[in-house]
Amino acid sequence: MALDNPTVARRYSQALFEVAQEKGQLKDLSLELNELKRGLLAQPQFMTFMASPAIKPEAKLAMINAMTEGASALTKNLVMMAYDYGRIANLVAIIDAFNNLYDEYEKVVRVKVTTAIELDKEQEDKLSDSFAKLVGAKKVIVNPQIDESIIGGVVLQSKSYIYDGSIKTKIERIKRLLLK
């Protein structure tokens, strides 16, 4: 039975996380994996190349060796294992799952902040600090989004928390109360 992408990503990332933690290489590996992910996303033809039955295995191995040149042993092993087991297409998902484990370990929360207008750095920092206190995080990484349809206010959304303080939502609540 074939495993789905989330299951593969979870299994590989958990094993990789545990090995990196044992070796004291979590932070360095996280940085390196994110660099690898940026490269993979910037070159979508890499996955096509690796999946093509017309390309000889020697050429694929040469591509992997060139891609991982200068990388740590853990990163090289991950890429080679993914290739050997036919999981190269799962690499981005594995890296994302690793990042989730690393964020949880470091008590880092990533939050999507939706506002009607662009926030300045000071406003982002205040929201970040307030949200960190609310969820008990050491650090909050803000991903700002602009959506003029919320009219005003702010919507904060993390993996496990949603705070909707938008004017649009407040108006909708008032409408529902008035219609009752």
Side-chain angles (χ1 to χ4, degrees), residues 123-135:
Q123 291 169 320
E124 272 188 29
D125 290 344
K126 283 182 182 179
L127 276 172
S128 175
D129 292 343
S130 297
F131 196 71
K133 289 175 187 166
L134 183 68
V135 297

Side-chain angles (χ1 to χ4, degrees), residues 4-69:
D4 62 349
N5 195 30
T7 302
V8 169
R10 189 174 51 254
R11 288 181 181 179
Y12 278 66
S13 65
Q14 184 66 47
L16 183 62
F17 184 86
E18 289 172 8
V19 171
Q21 188 175 22
E22 285 174 16
K23 294 182 178 239
Q25 297 177 2
L26 280 173
K27 184 176 183 178
D28 292 338
L29 183 62
S30 175
L31 294 171
E32 194 170 73
L33 289 177
N34 284 311
E35 187 66 31
L36 174 62
K37 178 183 171 184
R38 277 191 289 281
L40 291 171
L41 294 176
Q43 300 294 327
Q45 60 272 32
F46 171 77
M47 292 301 176
T48 305
F49 176 86
M50 296 304 289
S52 174
I55 307 294
K56 294 184 182 199
E58 297 83 23
K60 292 177 182 181
L61 285 172
M63 176 67 77
I64 287 174
N65 288 332
M67 182 180 79
T68 58
E69 187 177 329

Side-chain angles (χ1 to χ4, degrees), residues 5-173:
N5 195 30
T7 302
V8 169
R10 189 174 51 254
R11 288 181 181 179
Y12 278 66
S13 65
Q14 184 66 47
L16 183 62
F17 184 86
E18 289 172 8
V19 171
Q21 188 175 22
E22 285 174 16
K23 294 182 178 239
Q25 297 177 2
L26 280 173
K27 184 176 183 178
D28 292 338
L29 183 62
S30 175
L31 294 171
E32 194 170 73
L33 289 177
N34 284 311
E35 187 66 31
L36 174 62
K37 178 183 171 184
R38 277 191 289 281
L40 291 171
L41 294 176
Q43 300 294 327
Q45 60 272 32
F46 171 77
M47 292 301 176
T48 305
F49 176 86
M50 296 304 289
S52 174
I55 307 294
K56 294 184 182 199
E58 297 83 23
K60 292 177 182 181
L61 285 172
M63 176 67 77
I64 287 174
N65 288 332
M67 182 180 79
T68 58
E69 187 177 329
S72 70
L74 284 175
T75 299
K76 286 180 182 180
N77 289 343
L78 170 66
V79 175
M80 279 308 299
M81 189 179 351
Y83 172 73
D84 289 343
Y85 287 96
R87 303 282 188 211
I88 205 83
N90 302 103
L91 271 175
V92 171
I94 292 167
I95 294 168
D96 287 343
F98 179 89
N99 284 334
N100 288 339
L101 292 170
Y102 184 66
D103 284 352
E104 191 176 306
Y105 176 79
E106 289 290 324
K107 293 188 189 305
V108 172
V109 174
R110 296 175 189 274
V111 62
K112 181 171 96 172
V113 176
T114 306
T115 55
I117 59 170
E118 189 172 339
L119 299 177
D120 62 32
K121 182 70 174 142
E122 184 179 328
Q123 291 169 320
E124 272 188 29
D125 290 344
K126 283 182 182 179
L127 276 172
S128 175
D129 292 343
S130 297
F131 196 71
K133 289 175 187 166
L134 183 68
V135 297
K138 285 184 186 176
K139 181 178 178 184
V140 172
I141 298 173
V142 174
N143 177 15
Q145 308 281 316
I146 297 175
D147 180 358
E148 295 174 0
S149 73
I150 70 167
I151 304 169
V154 65
V155 178
L156 302 167
Q157 184 177 359
S158 69
K159 192 163 74 172
S160 60
Y161 186 85
I162 296 176
Y163 169 78
D164 189 342
S166 68
I167 292 176
K168 178 182 178 180
T169 300
K170 290 177 183 178
I171 290 171
E172 288 173 5
R173 281 189 204 130

